[in-house]
Amino acid sequence: MATTIGPNRVKYRFNTPAGKVFDVVNVVLLVGVGALAILPFLYVFAGSLATEYEITTRPFFIWPTEITTASYESILSSSVFVRAFITTVVVTLVGTFVQLALTALMAYPLAKVDLPGRRTIMTLVVFTMVFSAGMIPTFLIVKNLGLLDSYWALILPMAINPFSLIIIKNFFQELPKELEESARIDGANELRILANVVMPLSKPVLATFALFYAVGIWNDYMSPLLYLNDQNKWTLQMILRQVTASASLSPDDLNTEVPPPAQGIKFAVVMVATIPVLLAYPFLQKHFAKGMLIGSVKG
Amino acid sequence: MTTTTTQAVAVETSGEGLPPKNRRNLGQNLLRYRWLFFLMLPGIAYFLIFRFWPMYGAQIAFRNYVPFLGIEGSEWVGWDHFADFFSNPDFPRLLGNTLIIAGLTLFIAFPVTIVMALLLNELRLNILKRTVQTLVYIPHFLSWTVVVSLTGLLFAVGNGPLWTLVNDLFGTSTNFLADPAWFRPLILLQEIWKNTGWGTIIFLAALAGVDQEQYEAAIIDGAGRWQRVRFITIPSIMSTIIVLLILQTGQILNTGFEQIYLMSNALNRSVADVFDTYVYFTGIQQGAYSYSTAVGLAKAIVGLILIFGTNWLAKRFNQAGIF
């Protein structure tokens, strides 16, 4: 938690009346901001459980008068939707594992200050952060590798996030060297040290980045848009887009063959596309501020 | 720790009669560090294939790329695609749209983040501070698809709560999602809603690092709340602000493909088209690979110049740069 890093230790003994007014205003303002951050979401949650009639007649509510699961039932009975959901879960799990493994395996050697070529590799990694060839050349590589319409196209092109790599590397670098040394004296090779000494000590950081990667894959819209032409392979975010945009007012988005879905269905699809992220959030939140800062503070 | 490592190295090298560490040749290095290099192989392969190979492929911006002929087989055309783009009537419009959206982020969303971090920092009730933080971080983890869908539901003509609210208050009946005049405000609102809270993390960390004794001293000298913020807090986080500003400036032309793409429709194209979406439409949808690569490359190089430029400027004014 960000707050635990530096509790505000100053005692405001000499607060002025104006300062007190400010405090009151500040509290009200920030409570309002906090509420605004989740109100849209509560509205959609309520809408997903409300009747079609209530959604179209009441402008705003976060508690439906009559609770119904009809919207959820109707999307769960759609094979397209269920398939997209299962696919997205599997791609997210596999992708997170692949991405985290590649990142940790590369971060560990780079954390060794005496590794030859370390500076060169780091410079090249940082270079990819400020300059990239762009969408089309990357697309052509993915295409040439035969990954179009393959789920690997959603995972491999983003397998290592350079920011994550650097932060994990910095974390490894800060671990006490004595532990590794003693393991080495006991005859452990690098693989064993990584698996039995470094990884267990890094659990919180690795868990944080695993969740970041997972959220990234789960939320990704651009990769499926670019790489999955086959509608049967679409992920949840693509389906969500299709469902919520189908009654949008732009003529080119309007699919005239299919009638626009009921409002409640849109609410429910938004919820299903979000709930897994929200379930991961408490775990994520426990670590991310610290995880993010470990790298940046030491720079 | 570090010393133990060097000692161990020294013992080992002298024992085997090898030359000093820094003069060991490549083969010996590869042998000694073989496990470490082995672990790095997949990562290095990733960077070569998905980060550097595209940079090599970007040369199609200077060729008339025909997939059948391959990159090297396609004919060189020099700067033609760049010239085409810069003389294209779309160019000024794209540049304008891109810069306006980037400017809104840089000059409104970024300061809002700093102000919010300062306000959060002034909250003295820790439980309240933590609760507000927990709430404002959440939107960052929602996908753009969800954010755009939420926008659609909230502003839906006829029954969207915000549509109803605004139109009741002002007696209008604007369709916000189809009106080009509302495209930029909506994009900015989404950006602030989604990312402001998250952006405060780094500033809050910087604020936590401010020397507390300075505040004590200032209080004894009779400084009020505002004076403490003005003369201690803000100067203390200035270097963080500058570093983030440099990074943001480098990203200025990257307007965020997903958000803009998802928010654009046939009715707001005139204000919604930016470089990133243009590259997608001309490249992926129309198959003009070479031309769209040139557009993307021009954009990336301007971004690179901007990031080094602001870094240089920051150093000129005696602020810490990032390079």
Side-chain angles (χ1 to χ4, degrees):
Chain A
M1 268 315 306
T3 44
T4 56
I5 291 167
N8 223 341
R9 271 162 287 143
V10 180
K11 291 177 189 67
Y12 292 84
R13 281 161 302 183
F14 304 99
N15 206 2
T16 57
K20 283 181 186 136
V21 172
F22 168 79
D23 276 335
V24 173
V25 173
N26 193 23
V27 167
V28 172
L29 190 72
L30 286 175
V31 167
V33 168
L36 282 180
I38 54 156
L39 271 181
F41 201 71
L42 293 179
Y43 166 67
V44 174
F45 181 57
S48 72
L49 291 168
T51 56
E52 198 62 22
Y53 176 75
E54 187 169 11
I55 296 171
T56 45
T57 49
R58 268 177 89 186
F60 184 81
F61 57 94
I62 52 172
W63 195 260
T65 47
E66 188 190 335
I67 291 178
T68 163
T69 56
S71 301
Y72 289 100
E73 280 162 25
S74 106
I75 55 173
L76 287 177
S77 65
S78 142
S79 64
V80 173
F81 186 85
V82 172
R83 183 172 47 203
F85 184 84
I86 295 171
T87 306
T88 312
V89 169
V90 174
V91 170
T92 303
L93 292 177
V94 174
T96 305
F97 177 77
V98 170
Q99 294 183 340
L100 192 69
L102 288 192
T103 310
L105 285 178
M106 186 158 181
Y108 176 68
L110 288 175
K112 307 279 176 196
V113 272
D114 57 338
L115 183 82
R118 175 178 178 269
R119 276 185 66 91
T120 315
I121 296 172
M122 285 308 297
T123 309
L124 290 173
V125 167
V126 172
F127 180 67
T128 65
M129 283 161 56
V130 291
F131 181 81
S132 94
M135 182 192 287
I136 306 298
T138 312
F139 171 83
L140 291 175
I141 301 293
V142 172
K143 192 179 168 193
N144 288 344
L145 291 171
L147 293 178
L148 284 194
D149 278 330
S150 150
Y151 291 121
W152 289 109
L154 311 184
I155 299 170
L156 295 178
M158 307 184 293
I160 297 180
N161 177 325
F163 279 102
S164 314
L165 176 68
I166 291 172
I167 292 172
I168 294 177
K169 184 217 80 169
N170 286 352
F171 183 85
F172 285 168
Q173 220 162 307
E174 295 302 313
L175 291 174
K177 299 280 180 297
E178 290 82 355
L179 290 168
E180 292 179 32
E181 289 303 322
S182 61
R184 193 162 288 127
I185 288 163
D186 291 342
N189 63 18
E190 297 290 354
L191 258 175
R192 281 194 72 98
I193 294 173
L194 178 61
N196 296 347
V197 180
V198 175
M199 297 286 248
L201 288 173
S202 315
K203 258 184 207 157
V205 173
L206 295 175
T208 309
F209 282 97
L211 283 163
F212 276 127
Y213 274 139
V215 171
I217 301 175
W218 181 273
N219 282 345
D220 192 10
Y221 176 76
M222 189 171 164
S223 305
L225 178 73
L226 286 175
Y227 303 129
L228 302 181
N229 296 320
D230 184 353
Q231 291 208 12
N232 294 322
K233 293 189 170 173
W234 275 6
T235 59
L236 209 50
Q237 303 291 334
M238 296 286 281
I239 302 284
L240 168 63
R241 168 62 177 172
Q242 200 189 30
V243 170
T244 53
S246 56
S248 102
L249 298 125
S250 65
D252 67 339
D253 285 335
L254 200 65
N255 188 344
T256 43
E257 287 156 28
V258 186
Q263 286 293 105
I265 291 184
K266 296 185 190 178
F267 286 75
V269 178
V270 171
M271 285 314 297
V272 175
T274 318
I275 285 169
V277 173
L278 290 188
L279 292 180
Y281 182 74
F283 303 97
L284 199 62
Q285 212 233 352
K286 202 169 123 203
H287 299 300
F288 62 56
K290 227 186 291 171
M292 290 299 290
L293 294 169
I294 283 158
S296 47
V297 170
K298 286 275 170 183
Chain B
M1 341 169 325
T2 329
T3 42
T4 11
T5 323
T6 15
Q7 274 165 7
V9 170
V11 168
E12 193 185 305
T13 44
S14 61
E16 293 168 26
L18 291 171
K21 186 184 159 221
N22 55 355
R23 278 195 278 139
R24 220 186 264 130
N25 67 34
L26 186 67
Q28 285 163 323
N29 269 333
L30 282 177
L31 190 68
R32 181 180 147 77
Y33 293 97
R34 62 188 180 279
W35 280 109
L36 292 176
F37 284 119
F38 174 71
L39 294 180
M40 261 200 298
L41 274 181
I44 289 179
Y46 163 75
F47 276 96
L48 289 177
I49 296 171
F50 290 105
R51 298 268 176 168
F52 289 100
W53 194 9
M55 292 185 198
Y56 173 78
Q59 61 173 280
I60 63 168
F62 303 94
R63 297 174 182 264
N64 267 338
Y65 176 66
V66 182
F68 173 69
L69 297 172
I71 293 176
E72 285 89 354
S74 302
E75 156 211 19
W76 282 103
V77 294
W79 296 92
D80 284 8
H81 296 299
F82 292 88
D84 277 356
F85 178 55
F86 293 131
S87 59
N88 190 317
D90 284 338
F91 173 70
R93 191 170 59 90
L94 291 169
L95 183 68
N97 288 343
T98 306
L99 288 181
I100 288 169
I101 291 172
L104 289 174
T105 315
L106 201 61
F107 296 114
I108 299 180
F110 187 63
V112 166
T113 310
I114 299 171
V115 170
M116 199 157 127
L118 290 173
L119 292 179
L120 273 170
N121 193 51
E122 294 293 321
L123 271 190
R124 284 184 247 150
L125 203 58
N126 255 322
I127 174 116
L128 185 65
K129 188 175 169 184
R130 255 201 300 273
T131 312
V132 173
Q133 278 178 296
T134 303
L135 293 178
V136 296
Y137 293 161
I138 290 176
H140 176 78
F141 294 98
L142 306 184
S143 66
W144 276 117
T145 329
V146 166
V147 174
V148 172
S149 302
L150 286 179
T151 313
L153 292 170
L154 291 172
F155 286 98
V157 174
N159 63 348
L162 288 178
W163 183 88
T164 315
L165 180 73
V166 176
N167 286 323
D168 281 357
L169 282 179
F170 299 100
T172 53
S173 59
T174 318
N175 176 3
F176 298 94
L177 299 169
D179 187 346
W182 279 95
F183 181 76
R184 285 163 187 157
L186 282 182
I187 292 280
L188 181 66
L189 267 177
Q190 289 178 331
E191 171 64 32
I192 290 178
W193 186 74
K194 189 174 194 279
N195 288 328
T196 305
W198 180 251
T200 59
I201 289 185
I202 193 98
F203 293 110
L204 285 170
L207 287 167
V210 178
D211 181 9
Q212 300 295 314
E213 283 175 16
Q214 286 190 37
Y215 290 113
E216 300 276 13
I219 290 169
I220 290 164
D221 288 346
R225 286 281 278 280
W226 170 243
Q227 284 171 313
R228 276 177 257 154
V229 170
R230 168 86 178 71
F231 296 108
I232 303 174
T233 313
I234 293 181
S236 306
I237 61 166
M238 210 53 197
S239 62
T240 308
I241 294 179
I242 299 286
V243 167
L244 289 179
L245 204 58
I246 295 171
L247 291 172
Q248 289 249 331
T249 314
Q251 295 294 313
I252 205 164
L253 300 179
N254 299 335
T255 33
F257 172 81
E258 290 191 1
Q259 182 192 13
I260 310 276
Y261 174 81
L262 290 166
M263 282 297 286
S264 64
N265 53 48
L267 301 162
N268 61 19
R269 280 278 132 75
S270 58
V271 288
D273 281 343
V274 292
F275 290 131
D276 288 336
T277 52
Y278 184 72
V279 169
Y280 174 78
F281 286 122
T282 53
I284 307 288
Q285 292 202 338
Q286 295 163 22
Y289 292 135
S290 285
Y291 176 73
S292 54
T293 302
V295 177
L297 209 55
K299 195 203 78 166
I301 288 167
V302 174
L304 204 59
I305 294 170
L306 281 173
I307 200 166
F308 282 103
T310 30
N311 192 54
W312 177 80
L313 269 179
K315 280 186 175 161
R316 275 295 302 264
F317 291 103
N318 275 331
Q319 295 284 352
I322 54 170
F323 301 116

